[in-house]
Amino acid sequence: MAAVALAAVEPSVVDVIKVSDVTKRYLLGSVVVEALRGVSMTVAEGQFLTITGPSGSGKSTLMHLLGCLDVPTTGEILISGERVDQMGEVELASLRNRRIGFIFQQFNLLASVDAVANVELGLIYARVPRAERRARSIELLERIGLGNHLRHRPMELSGGQQQRVAIARALVGNPDLILADEPTGNLDSASAQEILTIFDELHASGRTVVVITHDPEVAARGSHTLTLRDGRILAGVA
Amino acid sequence: MKFGELLRVASEAVQWNRMRSLLTILGIVIGIAAVMVTVGLGEGAQAKVKGEISALGSNLLTISPGGSSAATADSGESLTERDAAALSSHTVAPAIGAVAPIVQGDETVTFGATSTSMIVYGSTASWLQVRSRSIVSGEFFSPAQETEGANVVVLGSEAASELFGGRDPVGETVTVGSTPMTVIGVLNSVGSGTSPTTNEDDLAVVPLTTAQNSLFGASSNDAVDSILIKATGSGTLSAAYQEADNELLMLHNISEPADANFTITSEQSLVSTATSVSSTLTALLAGIAGVSLLVGGIGVMNIMLVSVNERTREIGLRKALGARPRDIRLQFLTEALLLGILGGAIGVGIALIAQHVLPSLISDPISIPAWVTAGAIGISMLLSVIFGVYPATRAAQLSPIEALRTE
């Protein structure tokens, strides 16, 4: 396995994630669902945190909040010191672009373009010039072992390869936080092991990684683990 | 996102769904082509009509051999001098002011070393009055000269200058075909109009009897090629038409008007009808074509909505990666714009090809002005953007969570 490590991350005194007493309520039809009932947690730089819990525990809601895809009903969230719970849509978009790299269970690659174009997608919105985008994407794909598949479209790649393209896409913007939602959920066990090895390497190189999973084996890989139940943190770091 | 970037993403999306993109723009393609060809037909008809009006005599009816039905279309020499003489009677046809039977053919006219080919008309002394022409030098031939078949010729202004340069040709002798004839007059100039085949200044007129005896050969039944009739006034044109029609049916022993072996056309009424019909028709067709453009625009909106639905996950992903709502909106607007430009360009291409191909099939000129081409492209762009706004806004307003959740 090729080393995925980018340049070593500068240590910083600010926590990558700081969540204080966050609640999230939303309407499902006419029923008010209390997805999170007061969650507080911090993720320091360089941690590999796994968040686990049964379905309906609020994992996904927490992931959306940590990923700045949504804002909490009450409480405070700071990402790398930036207060995000009061932000509007445009500011959130910019923050996601700069600070967060997403990895999804479904890979979410664009079927119509090749691996390089998929990896560079976020850099387009960061207004990085085309030549630099290409160079960074190709370099990352080569490091992650897809140097021979730069021009391949997602349908020409295996599941494991597709998820590696997605990891490259998450890393290319050099974000403060890698946020993965069931990254091995759609993979056979061999591919899943490959992907988890990459996560280990990311952790080793000093990256901050948060993985949401219901798979105990995946949860055990983290340097820290946190279990959610009924919208509250049951155990782990807080 | 920069515009170049937007255009690249849009063209990728358009190419990725080639077939669907093509079907999407079909409405615009057809609409644009239809509008342009329709306007082109209208413009072409107007130009043609304008050219014809200028070369015509007023209050003129033309009787030509051959009926309108298939059985009578090829009646050959059905018109005679006798017909013309009968129509000249004021008791039979009070609305007819003057009648000129015509025989015609192309002849070579020679003066000294110069010779040129032109249409030579053989007619009676009333030709001048019927065609509303005048003499600028010398005189027209008299009824007496007509009866005796004098070898005299009257030249059109262009024919005269071709043969004689600037000199006055009156009194000179030219050879028409192989017959020497004295030039006795020169006609006024009316301009050539638009049609190159009927130059009203490049012609010669000789007495009917002369033409029959010396040029084209007399047929047994005194057949003529056509008979021109001038009504006594613009108000009596339709009366003159009726009188000529009735008289000729009677003379030719035809009881059913539908079986007539001759055709009477009023050039002026044709012209005015053609003008009004063509402008009404143009407006109607342009309206229909406009509606089809509208439908084309709605088609773009429809497909864009489908596309937004289908690409919900893509939109969610792009938002997660940092796309702002306006980035998404611009992306879909650019895609609509690109479809509009493509549709417009293909439509314009088809219309311009039709402009060259169609006239030979339908024998109507098509002239598409440059402003119509520019306008067509502009309209298709405008249309696609207008109909792209709603789908693009829908896409921009999608919540990233909802969009990513969609299977």
Side-chain angles (χ1 to χ4, degrees), chain A residues 64 69-70 89-90 93-94 96-97 102 104 106 108 110-113 120-122 124-125 127 130 133 153 155 169, chain B residues 1-2 5 8-9 12 16 313-314 317-328 331 396 398 400-401 404-405 407:
Chain A
H64 292 149
L69 294 167
D70 204 354
E89 212 177 334
V90 174
S94 160
R96 289 194 295 267
N97 186 255
F102 287 96
F104 303 96
Q106 309 285 344
N108 281 338
L110 299 188
S112 58
V113 295
E120 70 174 352
L121 205 53
I124 295 177
Y125 297 110
R127 296 177 173 274
R130 185 172 161 85
R133 288 199 318 252
R153 289 186 172 163
M155 68 178 78
R169 182 181 62 195
Chain B
M1 248 169 133
K2 296 188 196 111
E5 211 63 67
R8 203 171 50 77
V9 172
E12 274 167 8
W16 180 247
R313 283 187 85 81
E314 176 191 331
L317 173 77
R318 285 179 183 276
K319 287 195 152 189
L321 294 183
R324 295 163 296 170
R326 71 181 288 261
D327 292 321
I328 301 294
Q331 182 190 332
L398 276 175
I401 301 171
L404 284 170
R405 195 176 287 157
E407 283 305 319

Short mmCIF file of all heavy atoms in Angstrom, two decimals, chain A residues 64 69-70 89-90 93-94 96-97 102 104 106 108 110-113 120-122 124-125 127 130 133 153 155 169, chain B residues 1-2 5 8-9 12 16 313-314 317-328 331 396 398 400-401 404-405 407:
data_model
loop_
_atom_site.label_atom_id
_atom_site.label_comp_id
_atom_site.label_asym_id
_atom_site.label_seq_id
_atom_site.Cartn_x
_atom_site.Cartn_y
_atom_site.Cartn_z
N HIS A 64 -24.07 15.08 10.00
CA HIS A 64 -24.49 16.24 9.21
C HIS A 64 -24.07 17.55 9.87
O HIS A 64 -23.66 18.50 9.20
CB HIS A 64 -26.01 16.23 9.00
CG HIS A 64 -26.48 15.11 8.13
ND1 HIS A 64 -27.71 14.52 8.27
CD2 HIS A 64 -25.86 14.44 7.13
CE1 HIS A 64 -27.84 13.55 7.38
NE2 HIS A 64 -26.73 13.48 6.68
N LEU A 69 -23.32 20.36 7.08
CA LEU A 69 -24.37 20.24 6.06
C LEU A 69 -25.68 20.74 6.63
O LEU A 69 -26.65 20.94 5.91
CB LEU A 69 -24.52 18.77 5.64
CG LEU A 69 -23.31 18.18 4.90
CD1 LEU A 69 -23.42 16.67 4.82
CD2 LEU A 69 -23.20 18.78 3.50
N ASP A 70 -25.72 20.93 7.95
CA ASP A 70 -26.93 21.37 8.63
C ASP A 70 -26.49 22.14 9.89
O ASP A 70 -25.33 22.08 10.27
CB ASP A 70 -27.77 20.13 9.01
CG ASP A 70 -29.24 20.48 9.18
OD1 ASP A 70 -29.58 21.68 9.11
OD2 ASP A 70 -30.04 19.55 9.38
N GLU A 89 -26.17 29.68 4.53
CA GLU A 89 -25.86 28.64 3.57
C GLU A 89 -24.54 28.89 2.82
O GLU A 89 -23.75 27.98 2.61
CB GLU A 89 -27.01 28.54 2.56
CG GLU A 89 -27.23 27.14 2.04
CD GLU A 89 -28.43 27.07 1.10
OE1 GLU A 89 -29.35 27.90 1.21
OE2 GLU A 89 -28.41 26.18 0.25
N VAL A 90 -24.35 30.17 2.45
CA VAL A 90 -23.17 30.49 1.63
C VAL A 90 -21.89 30.34 2.45
O VAL A 90 -20.91 29.76 1.99
CB VAL A 90 -23.29 31.93 1.06
CG1 VAL A 90 -22.02 32.33 0.32
CG2 VAL A 90 -24.50 32.02 0.14
N ALA A 93 -21.10 26.71 2.95
CA ALA A 93 -20.53 26.11 1.75
C ALA A 93 -19.03 26.38 1.69
O ALA A 93 -18.23 25.48 1.42
CB ALA A 93 -21.22 26.66 0.50
N SER A 94 -18.68 27.60 1.99
CA SER A 94 -17.26 27.99 1.96
C SER A 94 -16.47 27.21 3.02
O SER A 94 -15.37 26.73 2.77
CB SER A 94 -17.15 29.49 2.17
OG SER A 94 -15.86 29.83 2.59
N ARG A 96 -17.22 24.26 4.41
CA ARG A 96 -17.09 22.85 3.97
C ARG A 96 -15.97 22.72 2.97
O ARG A 96 -15.17 21.80 3.00
CB ARG A 96 -18.41 22.37 3.32
CG ARG A 96 -19.56 22.17 4.28
CD ARG A 96 -20.68 21.39 3.63
NE ARG A 96 -21.32 22.08 2.51
CZ ARG A 96 -22.39 22.84 2.61
NH1 ARG A 96 -22.95 23.02 3.79
NH2 ARG A 96 -22.91 23.41 1.55
N ASN A 97 -15.95 23.69 2.03
CA ASN A 97 -14.95 23.65 0.97
C ASN A 97 -13.53 23.72 1.53
O ASN A 97 -12.64 22.99 1.09
CB ASN A 97 -15.22 24.82 0.02
CG ASN A 97 -14.31 24.76 -1.20
OD1 ASN A 97 -13.38 25.52 -1.30
ND2 ASN A 97 -14.60 23.83 -2.10
N PHE A 102 -15.21 15.02 2.70
CA PHE A 102 -16.24 14.00 2.94
C PHE A 102 -15.91 12.69 2.24
O PHE A 102 -15.42 12.67 1.11
CB PHE A 102 -17.59 14.48 2.38
CG PHE A 102 -18.23 15.56 3.19
CD1 PHE A 102 -18.08 16.90 2.85
CD2 PHE A 102 -19.02 15.24 4.30
CE1 PHE A 102 -18.67 17.89 3.59
CE2 PHE A 102 -19.62 16.24 5.04
CZ PHE A 102 -19.45 17.57 4.68
N PHE A 104 -18.20 9.15 1.54
CA PHE A 104 -19.54 8.61 1.73
C PHE A 104 -19.57 7.10 1.52
O PHE A 104 -18.72 6.53 0.83
CB PHE A 104 -20.52 9.25 0.75
CG PHE A 104 -20.57 10.75 0.84
CD1 PHE A 104 -19.82 11.53 -0.02
CD2 PHE A 104 -21.37 11.37 1.78
CE1 PHE A 104 -19.86 12.91 0.06
CE2 PHE A 104 -21.42 12.76 1.86
CZ PHE A 104 -20.66 13.53 0.99
N GLN A 106 -21.75 5.64 -0.31
CA GLN A 106 -22.10 5.40 -1.72
C GLN A 106 -21.05 5.96 -2.68
O GLN A 106 -21.31 6.10 -3.87
CB GLN A 106 -23.44 6.06 -2.05
CG GLN A 106 -24.58 5.74 -1.11
CD GLN A 106 -25.10 4.35 -1.34
OE1 GLN A 106 -24.83 3.76 -2.38
NE2 GLN A 106 -25.84 3.82 -0.38
N ASN A 108 -20.38 8.39 -4.11
CA ASN A 108 -20.85 9.66 -4.70
C ASN A 108 -19.86 10.26 -5.68
O ASN A 108 -19.49 11.43 -5.59
CB ASN A 108 -21.17 10.68 -3.61
CG ASN A 108 -22.52 10.40 -2.97
OD1 ASN A 108 -23.36 9.75 -3.58
ND2 ASN A 108 -22.71 10.87 -1.76
N LEU A 110 -19.02 11.36 -9.67
CA LEU A 110 -19.77 11.74 -10.88
C LEU A 110 -19.48 10.73 -11.98
O LEU A 110 -18.33 10.50 -12.34
CB LEU A 110 -19.36 13.14 -11.36
CG LEU A 110 -19.60 14.29 -10.38
CD1 LEU A 110 -19.32 15.62 -11.07
CD2 LEU A 110 -21.03 14.27 -9.87
N ALA A 111 -20.56 10.11 -12.49
CA ALA A 111 -20.39 9.02 -13.46
C ALA A 111 -19.86 9.53 -14.79
O ALA A 111 -19.25 8.79 -15.55
CB ALA A 111 -21.72 8.32 -13.67
N SER A 112 -20.09 10.83 -15.07
CA SER A 112 -19.82 11.30 -16.44
C SER A 112 -18.37 11.74 -16.65
O SER A 112 -17.97 12.00 -17.77
CB SER A 112 -20.75 12.47 -16.77
OG SER A 112 -20.57 13.50 -15.83
N VAL A 113 -17.58 11.81 -15.56
CA VAL A 113 -16.20 12.30 -15.74
C VAL A 113 -15.21 11.31 -15.13
O VAL A 113 -15.58 10.43 -14.34
CB VAL A 113 -16.02 13.70 -15.11
CG1 VAL A 113 -16.86 14.72 -15.84
CG2 VAL A 113 -16.37 13.68 -13.63
N GLU A 120 -10.78 16.59 -8.48
CA GLU A 120 -10.55 18.05 -8.47
C GLU A 120 -11.82 18.87 -8.23
O GLU A 120 -11.75 20.10 -8.14
CB GLU A 120 -9.91 18.49 -9.79
CG GLU A 120 -10.86 18.41 -10.97
CD GLU A 120 -10.26 18.99 -12.25
OE1 GLU A 120 -9.18 19.58 -12.19
OE2 GLU A 120 -10.90 18.83 -13.29
N LEU A 121 -12.96 18.18 -8.13
CA LEU A 121 -14.25 18.88 -8.08
C LEU A 121 -14.31 20.00 -7.03
O LEU A 121 -14.71 21.13 -7.32
CB LEU A 121 -15.36 17.85 -7.82
CG LEU A 121 -16.75 18.19 -8.27
CD1 LEU A 121 -16.78 18.57 -9.74
CD2 LEU A 121 -17.68 17.00 -8.02
N GLY A 122 -13.90 19.68 -5.80
CA GLY A 122 -13.97 20.68 -4.74
C GLY A 122 -13.06 21.88 -4.99
O GLY A 122 -13.37 23.00 -4.58
N ILE A 124 -12.51 23.28 -7.78
CA ILE A 124 -13.17 24.22 -8.69
C ILE A 124 -13.87 25.30 -7.88
O ILE A 124 -13.76 26.49 -8.17
CB ILE A 124 -14.19 23.48 -9.59
CG1 ILE A 124 -13.46 22.51 -10.51
CG2 ILE A 124 -15.01 24.49 -10.41
CD1 ILE A 124 -14.40 21.69 -11.39
N TYR A 125 -14.57 24.86 -6.81
CA TYR A 125 -15.33 25.82 -6.01
C TYR A 125 -14.39 26.65 -5.13
O TYR A 125 -14.77 27.71 -4.65
CB TYR A 125 -16.38 25.10 -5.17
CG TYR A 125 -17.40 24.40 -6.06
CD1 TYR A 125 -17.45 23.02 -6.14
CD2 TYR A 125 -18.27 25.14 -6.84
CE1 TYR A 125 -18.35 22.38 -6.97
CE2 TYR A 125 -19.17 24.53 -7.68
CZ TYR A 125 -19.22 23.14 -7.74
OH TYR A 125 -20.11 22.54 -8.57
N ARG A 127 -11.79 27.89 -6.41
CA ARG A 127 -11.20 28.76 -7.43
C ARG A 127 -9.69 28.52 -7.61
O ARG A 127 -8.93 29.45 -7.86
CB ARG A 127 -11.46 30.23 -7.11
CG ARG A 127 -12.95 30.55 -7.16
CD ARG A 127 -13.23 31.98 -6.77
NE ARG A 127 -14.65 32.26 -7.00
CZ ARG A 127 -15.15 32.64 -8.16
NH1 ARG A 127 -14.37 32.79 -9.20
NH2 ARG A 127 -16.44 32.88 -8.30
N ARG A 130 -6.87 25.73 -13.03
CA ARG A 130 -7.06 24.41 -13.62
C ARG A 130 -5.77 23.57 -13.60
O ARG A 130 -5.80 22.40 -13.20
CB ARG A 130 -7.55 24.57 -15.06
CG ARG A 130 -7.89 23.29 -15.77
CD ARG A 130 -8.55 23.66 -17.12
NE ARG A 130 -8.52 22.55 -18.05
CZ ARG A 130 -9.41 21.58 -18.09
NH1 ARG A 130 -10.40 21.57 -17.22
NH2 ARG A 130 -9.33 20.61 -18.98
N ARG A 133 -5.04 22.37 -10.11
CA ARG A 133 -6.03 21.35 -9.74
C ARG A 133 -5.63 20.00 -10.27
O ARG A 133 -5.63 19.00 -9.56
CB ARG A 133 -7.40 21.73 -10.33
CG ARG A 133 -8.07 22.89 -9.68
CD ARG A 133 -9.57 22.91 -9.98
NE ARG A 133 -9.93 22.61 -11.34
CZ ARG A 133 -10.39 23.51 -12.21
NH1 ARG A 133 -10.52 24.78 -11.87
NH2 ARG A 133 -10.74 23.13 -13.42
N ARG A 153 -13.39 6.24 -15.84
CA ARG A 153 -14.62 6.70 -15.22
C ARG A 153 -15.01 5.73 -14.10
O ARG A 153 -14.60 4.58 -14.13
CB ARG A 153 -15.73 6.79 -16.27
CG ARG A 153 -15.46 7.95 -17.22
CD ARG A 153 -16.60 8.17 -18.17
NE ARG A 153 -16.35 9.42 -18.92
CZ ARG A 153 -16.96 9.76 -20.03
NH1 ARG A 153 -17.86 8.96 -20.55
NH2 ARG A 153 -16.69 10.89 -20.63
N MET A 155 -17.46 3.85 -13.45
CA MET A 155 -18.01 2.54 -13.77
C MET A 155 -16.93 1.56 -14.27
O MET A 155 -17.15 0.38 -14.35
CB MET A 155 -19.14 2.68 -14.81
CG MET A 155 -18.68 3.13 -16.18
SD MET A 155 -20.05 3.21 -17.37
CE MET A 155 -20.86 4.73 -16.91
N ARG A 169 -10.41 12.65 -3.32
CA ARG A 169 -11.22 13.86 -3.44
C ARG A 169 -11.34 14.56 -2.09
O ARG A 169 -11.30 15.79 -2.01
CB ARG A 169 -12.61 13.49 -3.97
CG ARG A 169 -13.53 14.68 -4.17
CD ARG A 169 -14.90 14.24 -4.67
NE ARG A 169 -15.57 13.38 -3.70
CZ ARG A 169 -16.62 12.63 -3.96
NH1 ARG A 169 -17.14 12.61 -5.17
NH2 ARG A 169 -17.16 11.90 -3.03
N MET B 1 -17.58 30.10 -9.46
CA MET B 1 -17.13 29.37 -10.64
C MET B 1 -17.00 30.29 -11.82
O MET B 1 -17.87 31.10 -12.10
CB MET B 1 -18.18 28.29 -10.98
CG MET B 1 -17.68 26.89 -10.76
SD MET B 1 -19.05 25.75 -10.86
CE MET B 1 -18.34 24.52 -11.94
N LYS B 2 -15.89 30.19 -12.51
CA LYS B 2 -15.70 31.04 -13.69
C LYS B 2 -16.58 30.54 -14.83
O LYS B 2 -16.97 29.37 -14.86
CB LYS B 2 -14.23 31.01 -14.11
CG LYS B 2 -13.30 31.60 -13.08
CD LYS B 2 -11.90 31.72 -13.66
CE LYS B 2 -10.86 31.93 -12.59
NZ LYS B 2 -9.97 30.77 -12.41
N GLU B 5 -15.36 27.55 -16.74
CA GLU B 5 -15.57 26.33 -15.95
C GLU B 5 -17.00 25.84 -16.08
O GLU B 5 -17.26 24.66 -16.30
CB GLU B 5 -15.25 26.69 -14.49
CG GLU B 5 -14.70 25.58 -13.67
CD GLU B 5 -13.36 25.12 -14.20
OE1 GLU B 5 -12.37 25.88 -14.14
OE2 GLU B 5 -13.32 23.99 -14.69
N ARG B 8 -17.63 24.33 -19.37
CA ARG B 8 -17.04 23.00 -19.51
C ARG B 8 -17.94 21.95 -18.83
O ARG B 8 -18.24 20.91 -19.40
CB ARG B 8 -15.65 22.99 -18.88
CG ARG B 8 -14.72 21.91 -19.40
CD ARG B 8 -13.31 22.14 -18.88
NE ARG B 8 -13.29 22.34 -17.44
CZ ARG B 8 -13.41 21.35 -16.55
NH1 ARG B 8 -13.55 20.11 -16.95
NH2 ARG B 8 -13.38 21.62 -15.26
N VAL B 9 -18.37 22.27 -17.60
CA VAL B 9 -19.24 21.35 -16.87
C VAL B 9 -20.53 21.13 -17.64
O VAL B 9 -21.01 20.00 -17.79
CB VAL B 9 -19.54 21.90 -15.46
CG1 VAL B 9 -20.60 21.06 -14.77
CG2 VAL B 9 -18.26 21.93 -14.62
N GLU B 12 -20.02 18.96 -20.66
CA GLU B 12 -19.87 17.56 -20.24
C GLU B 12 -21.23 16.92 -20.00
O GLU B 12 -21.48 15.80 -20.45
CB GLU B 12 -19.02 17.47 -18.97
CG GLU B 12 -17.53 17.43 -19.23
CD GLU B 12 -16.71 17.68 -17.95
OE1 GLU B 12 -17.33 17.72 -16.86
OE2 GLU B 12 -15.51 17.84 -18.08
N TRP B 16 -22.76 13.92 -22.06
CA TRP B 16 -23.03 12.68 -21.33
C TRP B 16 -24.42 12.16 -21.68
O TRP B 16 -24.65 10.96 -21.78
CB TRP B 16 -22.91 12.94 -19.83
CG TRP B 16 -23.17 11.75 -18.96
CD1 TRP B 16 -24.20 11.57 -18.10
CD2 TRP B 16 -22.36 10.56 -18.88
NE1 TRP B 16 -24.09 10.35 -17.49
CE2 TRP B 16 -22.97 9.71 -17.95
CE3 TRP B 16 -21.20 10.13 -19.52
CZ2 TRP B 16 -22.46 8.46 -17.63
CZ3 TRP B 16 -20.69 8.88 -19.20
CH2 TRP B 16 -21.31 8.06 -18.27
N ARG B 313 -28.30 13.65 -6.41
CA ARG B 313 -27.10 13.26 -5.66
C ARG B 313 -25.90 14.09 -6.08
O ARG B 313 -25.10 14.50 -5.24
CB ARG B 313 -26.79 11.78 -5.90
CG ARG B 313 -27.67 10.85 -5.12
CD ARG B 313 -27.21 9.41 -5.27
NE ARG B 313 -26.16 9.07 -4.33
CZ ARG B 313 -26.39 8.75 -3.07
NH1 ARG B 313 -27.62 8.74 -2.61
NH2 ARG B 313 -25.41 8.43 -2.26
N GLU B 314 -25.79 14.32 -7.39
CA GLU B 314 -24.68 15.15 -7.88
C GLU B 314 -24.74 16.53 -7.25
O GLU B 314 -23.73 17.09 -6.82
CB GLU B 314 -24.73 15.26 -9.41
CG GLU B 314 -23.66 16.19 -9.96
CD GLU B 314 -23.85 16.54 -11.43
OE1 GLU B 314 -24.41 15.70 -12.17
OE2 GLU B 314 -23.44 17.64 -11.83
N LEU B 317 -23.73 16.33 -3.66
CA LEU B 317 -22.28 16.17 -3.56
C LEU B 317 -21.56 17.49 -3.80
O LEU B 317 -20.68 17.90 -3.04
CB LEU B 317 -21.80 15.14 -4.58
CG LEU B 317 -20.29 15.05 -4.65
CD1 LEU B 317 -19.75 14.26 -3.47
CD2 LEU B 317 -19.82 14.45 -5.96
N ARG B 318 -21.97 18.18 -4.88
CA ARG B 318 -21.33 19.45 -5.20
C ARG B 318 -21.48 20.43 -4.05
O ARG B 318 -20.55 21.17 -3.71
CB ARG B 318 -21.93 20.05 -6.49
CG ARG B 318 -21.45 19.33 -7.76
CD ARG B 318 -22.08 19.91 -9.00
NE ARG B 318 -21.68 19.20 -10.21
CZ ARG B 318 -20.56 19.43 -10.89
NH1 ARG B 318 -19.73 20.37 -10.48
NH2 ARG B 318 -20.28 18.73 -11.97
N LYS B 319 -22.69 20.43 -3.42
CA LYS B 319 -22.90 21.32 -2.28
C LYS B 319 -22.01 20.92 -1.12
O LYS B 319 -21.42 21.78 -0.46
CB LYS B 319 -24.36 21.30 -1.87
CG LYS B 319 -25.25 22.03 -2.87
CD LYS B 319 -26.60 22.33 -2.27
CE LYS B 319 -27.19 23.56 -2.92
NZ LYS B 319 -28.40 24.02 -2.24
N ALA B 320 -21.90 19.62 -0.86
CA ALA B 320 -21.05 19.16 0.23
C ALA B 320 -19.61 19.59 0.00
O ALA B 320 -18.88 19.91 0.93
CB ALA B 320 -21.14 17.64 0.36
N LEU B 321 -19.19 19.61 -1.28
CA LEU B 321 -17.81 19.96 -1.61
C LEU B 321 -17.59 21.47 -1.66
O LEU B 321 -16.50 21.92 -1.95
CB LEU B 321 -17.41 19.34 -2.95
CG LEU B 321 -17.35 17.81 -2.97
CD1 LEU B 321 -16.87 17.33 -4.32
CD2 LEU B 321 -16.45 17.29 -1.87
N GLY B 322 -18.66 22.23 -1.43
CA GLY B 322 -18.46 23.67 -1.30
C GLY B 322 -19.16 24.53 -2.34
O GLY B 322 -18.91 25.72 -2.41
N ALA B 323 -20.02 23.92 -3.19
CA ALA B 323 -20.75 24.72 -4.16
C ALA B 323 -21.80 25.56 -3.44
O ALA B 323 -22.54 25.04 -2.60
CB ALA B 323 -21.41 23.83 -5.20
N ARG B 324 -21.83 26.85 -3.74
CA ARG B 324 -22.88 27.71 -3.18
C ARG B 324 -24.14 27.56 -4.03
O ARG B 324 -24.05 27.10 -5.17
CB ARG B 324 -22.43 29.16 -3.19
CG ARG B 324 -21.23 29.45 -2.30
CD ARG B 324 -20.59 30.76 -2.65
NE ARG B 324 -20.06 30.71 -4.01
CZ ARG B 324 -19.61 31.78 -4.67
NH1 ARG B 324 -19.71 32.97 -4.14
NH2 ARG B 324 -19.13 31.65 -5.88
N PRO B 325 -25.30 27.97 -3.48
CA PRO B 325 -26.53 27.87 -4.29
C PRO B 325 -26.38 28.53 -5.66
O PRO B 325 -26.84 27.99 -6.67
CB PRO B 325 -27.56 28.59 -3.43
CG PRO B 325 -27.09 28.38 -2.03
CD PRO B 325 -25.59 28.38 -2.10
N ARG B 326 -25.68 29.67 -5.69
CA ARG B 326 -25.58 30.36 -6.99
C ARG B 326 -24.69 29.59 -7.95
O ARG B 326 -24.87 29.65 -9.16
CB ARG B 326 -25.11 31.80 -6.82
CG ARG B 326 -23.66 31.98 -6.42
CD ARG B 326 -23.37 33.47 -6.26
NE ARG B 326 -23.35 34.16 -7.54
CZ ARG B 326 -22.22 34.47 -8.20
NH1 ARG B 326 -21.06 34.10 -7.70
NH2 ARG B 326 -22.26 35.11 -9.34
N ASP B 327 -23.71 28.81 -7.42
CA ASP B 327 -22.90 27.97 -8.30
C ASP B 327 -23.77 26.93 -9.00
O ASP B 327 -23.64 26.68 -10.20
CB ASP B 327 -21.80 27.25 -7.51
CG ASP B 327 -20.75 28.23 -6.99
OD1 ASP B 327 -20.41 29.16 -7.73
OD2 ASP B 327 -20.28 28.04 -5.85
N ILE B 328 -24.66 26.32 -8.20
CA ILE B 328 -25.55 25.29 -8.76
C ILE B 328 -26.51 25.92 -9.76
O ILE B 328 -26.74 25.39 -10.85
CB ILE B 328 -26.34 24.58 -7.63
CG1 ILE B 328 -25.38 23.93 -6.63
CG2 ILE B 328 -27.32 23.58 -8.20
CD1 ILE B 328 -24.58 22.79 -7.18
N GLN B 331 -24.77 26.71 -12.89
CA GLN B 331 -24.44 25.49 -13.62
C GLN B 331 -25.61 25.04 -14.49
O GLN B 331 -25.45 24.73 -15.67
CB GLN B 331 -24.06 24.38 -12.64
CG GLN B 331 -23.66 23.09 -13.34
CD GLN B 331 -23.52 21.93 -12.37
OE1 GLN B 331 -23.20 22.13 -11.19
NE2 GLN B 331 -23.77 20.73 -12.85
N ALA B 396 -30.81 24.73 -7.03
CA ALA B 396 -30.02 25.53 -6.09
C ALA B 396 -30.57 25.45 -4.67
O ALA B 396 -29.83 25.54 -3.71
CB ALA B 396 -29.97 26.98 -6.56
N LEU B 398 -32.09 22.87 -3.27
CA LEU B 398 -32.05 21.55 -2.65
C LEU B 398 -31.16 21.58 -1.41
O LEU B 398 -30.08 22.15 -1.44
CB LEU B 398 -31.49 20.53 -3.63
CG LEU B 398 -32.45 19.92 -4.64
CD1 LEU B 398 -31.68 19.04 -5.62
CD2 LEU B 398 -33.51 19.09 -3.94
N PRO B 400 -28.51 19.96 0.98
CA PRO B 400 -27.49 18.94 0.70
C PRO B 400 -27.78 17.60 1.38
O PRO B 400 -27.49 16.56 0.82
CB PRO B 400 -26.20 19.58 1.23
CG PRO B 400 -26.60 20.74 2.05
CD PRO B 400 -27.94 21.16 1.58
N ILE B 401 -28.37 17.65 2.57
CA ILE B 401 -28.67 16.40 3.27
C ILE B 401 -29.70 15.59 2.50
O ILE B 401 -29.52 14.40 2.21
CB ILE B 401 -29.21 16.67 4.68
CG1 ILE B 401 -28.20 17.47 5.49
CG2 ILE B 401 -29.55 15.38 5.39
CD1 ILE B 401 -28.75 17.98 6.80
N LEU B 404 -28.23 14.22 -0.71
CA LEU B 404 -27.31 13.08 -0.57
C LEU B 404 -28.04 11.83 -0.14
O LEU B 404 -27.59 10.72 -0.39
CB LEU B 404 -26.22 13.42 0.44
CG LEU B 404 -25.15 14.36 -0.09
CD1 LEU B 404 -24.25 14.84 1.03
CD2 LEU B 404 -24.32 13.65 -1.15
N ARG B 405 -29.19 11.99 0.52
CA ARG B 405 -29.94 10.85 1.03
C ARG B 405 -30.64 10.10 -0.10
O ARG B 405 -30.89 8.91 -0.01
CB ARG B 405 -30.96 11.35 2.05
CG ARG B 405 -31.56 10.28 2.90
CD ARG B 405 -32.48 10.88 3.93
NE ARG B 405 -31.75 11.57 5.00
CZ ARG B 405 -32.27 12.52 5.76
NH1 ARG B 405 -33.49 12.92 5.57
NH2 ARG B 405 -31.55 13.07 6.72
N GLU B 407 -31.76 7.98 -3.05
CA GLU B 407 -31.15 6.79 -3.67
C GLU B 407 -31.35 6.85 -5.16
O GLU B 407 -32.40 7.19 -5.64
CB GLU B 407 -31.79 5.52 -3.09
CG GLU B 407 -31.27 5.19 -1.70
CD GLU B 407 -29.74 5.08 -1.64
OE1 GLU B 407 -29.14 4.50 -2.56
OE2 GLU B 407 -29.15 5.60 -0.68
#
